[in-house]
Amino acid sequence: MSRRFLFAAVLGCVLGFISPLFGIAQQPAAPPAQTPAQPPAQKPVPPADAQPGQTPAQQPATDDQDSGFKITSAVNEVNLIFTVTDRHGNFIPNLKQSDFALLDDHKAPARVSSFRQQTNLPLRVGILIDASTSIRQRFQFEQQASTEFLLQVLKSKSDRAFVMGFDSTPTVTQDWTNNIDGLQSGINKLRPGGGTALFDAVYTACRDKLLDVSRGQEPVRRAMVLVSDGNDNQSRAYMDDAIKMCQRAETIVYSISTNWTPSRGKGDDVLRKISEDTGGRAFFPPSIDDITTGFNSIEEELRSQYALTYTPADFKADGAFREIYLFANDRRYQVRARKGYFSPKG
């Protein structure tokens, strides 16, 4: 037997021994059976970057989920949270699924998984305060209004809020906490000066603070309180960019205008547009004394809402924006909900 043949034989034996240890295989491994190219419609699996509120309501736990890993695939259920009020802004409780009509991308949903009235959900609230030069004379009003909101609305130990001030750039002065003193301190740290990049601030707050908040089992109510005159002169983002990011983060925006002039300007239209497109409302109080009524309405809306989980018809995981049209059959009632959502990319 030649030395070359003996060396080849020994090498073959060694490789045969270590291959199972390191996963060396002579044939390509077949793809796992549990990850098909397109998941079955009845048991969708949430992608790692799925939007909050779009994971299946009754998905069974898997080993991957228990270990902290997520399998990426399409999601075909939407969780829609909304409020119903009368013409005077009073919340309407005890309505049924049959009291509403819903269109998703101009089509009735294929199936409604659940309908329920949810009360006292934990709140996740971003307080955004305009700290630009244009509101210098009204800045104390903004600080008082923001503090009043926190004292009025943040009551539960499970609630959380953060404070962000903005001029030409956004700055977080207090991160997520339920400590009222810490939040108030974050508000008092702000000083007015510089330009106004309102759209950048709204976009950044939703992208960095609200988009990924609490994707766990417990549902939360995401909201933003925007205190500003609505005038923007330095943003790189457009208003539509800010609105779309709020919709991605499923965040409702309540705007409080600091415009005290009798005439309504473009800034008021901006605040109204952002609020209405995200399912919120804009308030135009003439003084700090008139804010309490508005805050009572906000608190009632945040604490009492309906939740509807449904499967859209002809759903496509293409990342496109899908419009939502939800209304009450009784036209005396007004439904406030986000105008749509972005489907995840498959």
Side-chain angles (χ1 to χ4, degrees), residues 1-16:
M1 180 181 296
S2 66
R3 290 185 178 181
R4 181 177 299 178
F5 178 83
L6 180 60
F7 175 79
V10 172
L11 179 61
C13 293
V14 172
L15 287 176

Side-chain angles (χ1 to χ4, degrees), residues 51-248:
Q51 298 179 48
Q54 291 184 340
T55 54
Q58 297 180 344
Q59 182 184 338
T62 65
D63 292 338
D64 289 309
Q65 291 172 323
D66 293 341
S67 62
F69 294 93
K70 296 181 180 179
I71 302 174
T72 300
S73 59
V75 174
N76 67 347
E77 283 196 346
V78 177
N79 186 18
L80 180 63
I81 299 178
F82 60 95
T83 58
V84 184
T85 59
D86 60 18
R87 295 176 182 176
H88 302 289
N90 300 312
F91 179 75
I92 306 299
N94 303 321
L95 296 177
K96 301 177 181 179
Q97 179 183 328
S98 58
D99 294 322
F100 300 95
L102 170 67
L103 294 177
D104 182 298
D105 199 27
H106 310 290
K107 301 180 183 67
R111 181 173 64 94
V112 174
S113 305
S114 65
F115 177 88
R116 58 199 179 277
Q117 182 175 338
Q118 297 182 335
T119 59
N120 293 325
L121 284 180
L123 301 182
R124 298 294 181 266
V125 183
I127 310 295
L128 269 66
I129 302 175
D130 189 338
S132 62
T133 302
S134 64
I135 52 82
R136 184 180 295 275
Q137 296 180 347
R138 292 160 284 172
F139 188 67
Q140 186 177 2
F141 167 85
E142 291 191 348
Q143 290 177 310
Q144 291 175 334
S146 303
T147 301
E148 180 71 19
F149 175 84
L150 293 171
L151 294 173
Q152 182 79 14
V153 177
L154 245 64
K155 297 179 179 179
S156 172
K157 292 182 178 180
S158 60
D159 296 339
R160 299 286 186 275
F162 70 89
V163 176
M164 173 184 285
F166 64 92
D167 42 34
S168 56
T169 57
T171 303
V172 175
T173 55
Q174 175 58 59
D175 210 339
W176 290 111
T177 184
N178 62 352
N179 186 299
I180 299 296
D181 291 337
L183 292 166
Q184 187 171 356
S185 177
I187 293 172
N188 293 333
K189 288 178 183 178
L190 297 172
R191 296 292 182 269
T196 309
L198 184 151
F199 304 145
D200 286 353
V202 172
Y203 184 96
T204 301
C206 285
R207 182 194 63 187
D208 295 349
K209 309 301 294 182
L210 288 157
L211 182 62
D212 294 325
V213 68
S214 185
R215 287 192 179 183
Q217 296 291 332
E218 183 183 28
V220 296
R221 193 72 165 108
R222 299 174 184 82
M224 178 188 299
V225 176
L226 176 61
V227 187
S228 174
D229 59 8
N231 294 317
D232 188 301
N233 56 25
Q234 285 204 353
S235 283
R236 291 176 293 177
Y238 294 100
M239 180 170 61
D240 286 347
D241 298 327
I243 292 174
K244 289 178 180 178
M245 186 53 67
C246 289
Q247 291 168 338
R248 288 184 186 275

Side-chain angles (χ1 to χ4, degrees), residues 225-277:
V225 176
L226 176 61
V227 187
S228 174
D229 59 8
N231 294 317
D232 188 301
N233 56 25
Q234 285 204 353
S235 283
R236 291 176 293 177
Y238 294 100
M239 180 170 61
D240 286 347
D241 298 327
I243 292 174
K244 289 178 180 178
M245 186 53 67
C246 289
Q247 291 168 338
R248 288 184 186 275
E250 296 184 6
T251 297
I252 186 172
V253 179
Y254 294 100
S255 301
I256 300 175
S257 174
T258 59
N259 178 14
W260 291 345
T261 62
S263 60
R264 303 263 68 97
K266 292 183 178 179
D268 292 335
D269 295 335
V270 167
L271 297 179
R272 187 178 291 108
K273 173 70 171 174
I274 294 175
S275 296
E276 290 180 354
D277 282 10

